[in-house]
């Protein structure tokens, strides 16, 4: 197994200490930090996402893997003398108004950060105006909304409506998710992206920015 393959393996199994040693090995072999990110971290994240879909992984495994990836990102940045890894995009994320569920949202944050996004966490019970104000202040590319209740999903539509009214709709990619949210609902409210899980959320966000020529 190459060192990059071992890095993929270590992230998937959430082995942080082993990951640190492997990153050191990779750096000693002269592999650049960006290559470790693109050919180690990102494929690991895709594998985790696939395994979650296939019910080979459950939430605890996904959390461990995301934590390992975050630790790995910090180690990579330390090796680069504190220089930050290239930020591929900026996102604000929150759970919509009236909704206090944040476990899924937090996993999405970990995955997106691991994939190279700068993410501003707005927390839960986030009002429509706050999503928009924070997106503007943070100069976000993506607005991510999470909802876990059928009664709060409608808040997502409110945010999109306000973006349209303010003439800001085209400025942001709007991504929605959470257990009751479906592809059909996302399309009906005019969101740009929907995914079922955190791993594919990060991947899809990356692809959306690529399509818009921002990457
Ligand atoms: C934990 C939990 C709680 C905790 C929340 C703690 C917390 N800090 O989050 C507490 C106890 C507070 C809670 C309260 C309530 N809950 Co609750 N809760 C759950 C439970 C058991 C698990 C949710 C969870 O964390 N899942 C694990 C995470 C990892 O999964 P996930 O959230 O789906 O996230 C994944 C994806 O959806 C996706 N994703 C999530 N967000 C986003 C965002 C984007 C942009 C993208 C792309 C992807 C994405 O990626 C994640 C990772 O892969 C569910 C039941 C269930 N089995 O789902 C009920 C559930 C969601 N709750 C429910 C209810 C009814 C309530 C209460 C109203 C109960 C009550 N009567 O008080 C309150 C509401 C409080 C409020 N106003 O929000 C119902 C919702 C029914 C419905 N369809 O509306 C459920 C389904 C239980 C049930 N079967 O009845 N709950």
């Amino acid at each position: 197994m190459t060192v990059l393959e071992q890095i993929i393996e270590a992230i998937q199994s959430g082995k942080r200490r082993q990951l640190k040693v492997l990153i050191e090995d990779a750096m000693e072999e002269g592999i650049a930090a960006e290559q470790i990110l693109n050919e180690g971290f990102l494929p690991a994240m895709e594998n985790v996402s696939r395994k979650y879909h296939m019910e080979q992984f459950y939430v605890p495994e996904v959390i461990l893997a995301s934590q390992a990836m975050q630790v790995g990102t910090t180690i990579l940045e330390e090796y680069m003398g504190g220089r930050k890894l290239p930020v591929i995009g900026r996102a604000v994320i929150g759970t919509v108004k009236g909704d206090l569920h944040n476990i899924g949202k937090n996993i999405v944050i970990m995955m997106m950060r691991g994939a190279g996004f700068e993410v501003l966490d707005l927390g839960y019970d986030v009002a429509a105006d706050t999503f928009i104000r924070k997106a503007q202040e943070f100069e976000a590319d993506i607005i991510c909304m999470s909802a876990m209740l059928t009664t709060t999903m409608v808040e997502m539509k409110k945010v999109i409506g306000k973006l349209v009214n303010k003439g800001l709709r085209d400025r942001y990619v709007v991504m929605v998710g959470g257990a009751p949210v479906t592809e059909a609902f996302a399309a009906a409210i005019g969101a740009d992206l929907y995914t079922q899980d955190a791993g594919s959320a990060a991947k899809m966000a990356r692809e959306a920015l690529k399509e818009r020529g921002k990457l």
Side-chain angles (χ1 to χ4, degrees):
M1 246 204 268
T2 66
V3 69
L4 287 172
E5 285 165 347
Q6 289 180 64
I7 284 176
I8 295 174
E9 195 59 46
I11 292 175
Q12 276 177 203
S13 34
K15 290 183 179 151
R16 294 183 237 179
R17 229 170 294 155
Q18 195 184 334
L19 180 63
K20 184 176 187 307
V21 176
L22 287 167
I23 292 174
E24 282 166 0
D25 291 349
M27 296 298 239
E28 268 170 33
E29 281 183 30
I31 303 175
E34 281 85 354
Q35 193 182 349
I36 297 176
L37 184 72
N38 289 326
E39 294 171 29
F41 288 26
L42 297 186
M45 188 183 70
E46 283 169 21
N47 287 353
V48 170
S49 166
R50 197 173 50 245
K51 288 190 173 187
Y52 181 71
H53 276 302
M54 292 165 70
E55 295 188 5
Q56 289 173 0
F57 270 14
Y58 294 95
V59 171
E61 286 96 340
V62 176
I63 292 178
L64 277 179
S66 335
Q67 284 172 339
M69 203 152 68
Q70 267 208 293
V71 168
T73 309
T74 312
I75 297 169
L76 276 185
E77 287 178 346
E78 277 167 14
Y79 278 109
M80 292 162 69
R83 183 163 63 85
K84 292 272 171 208
L85 282 167
V87 172
I88 63 167
R90 295 162 76 80
V92 292
I93 181 167
T95 307
V96 297
K97 191 168 171 53
D99 201 323
L100 307 178
H101 297 86
N102 67 358
I103 298 169
K105 168 191 70 71
N106 291 344
I107 300 177
V108 174
I109 292 174
M110 286 193 269
M111 283 299 202
M112 288 191 63
R113 285 189 178 146
F117 280 91
E118 215 170 300
V119 183
L120 178 66
D121 181 9
L122 306 178
Y124 52 79
D125 193 20
V126 180
D129 288 325
T130 309
F131 273 106
I132 297 172
R133 184 168 42 82
K134 290 291 181 185
Q136 287 182 294
E137 285 172 10
F138 192 59
E139 296 182 357
D141 304 296
I142 309 186
I143 297 177
C144 302
M145 291 182 270
S146 177
M148 284 298 285
L149 299 171
T150 41
T151 48
T152 58
M153 285 159 72
V154 288
E155 283 291 323
M156 295 173 163
K157 190 177 174 190
K158 207 187 254 180
V159 174
I160 294 174
K162 282 183 181 255
L163 283 173
V164 172
N165 289 342
K166 288 174 188 277
L168 294 170
R169 179 63 189 88
D170 293 342
R171 194 172 295 178
Y172 304 104
V173 173
V174 175
M175 179 158 71
V176 294
V181 180
T182 61
E183 183 103 57
F185 175 78
I189 63 168
D192 299 302
L193 303 177
Y194 156 78
T195 67
Q196 229 177 20
D197 69 277
S200 32
K203 187 174 174 227
M204 216 182 232
R206 210 180 145 89
E207 280 163 10
L209 291 191
K210 229 184 224 168
E211 269 171 32
R212 284 167 173 74
K214 289 192 172 184
L215 258 182

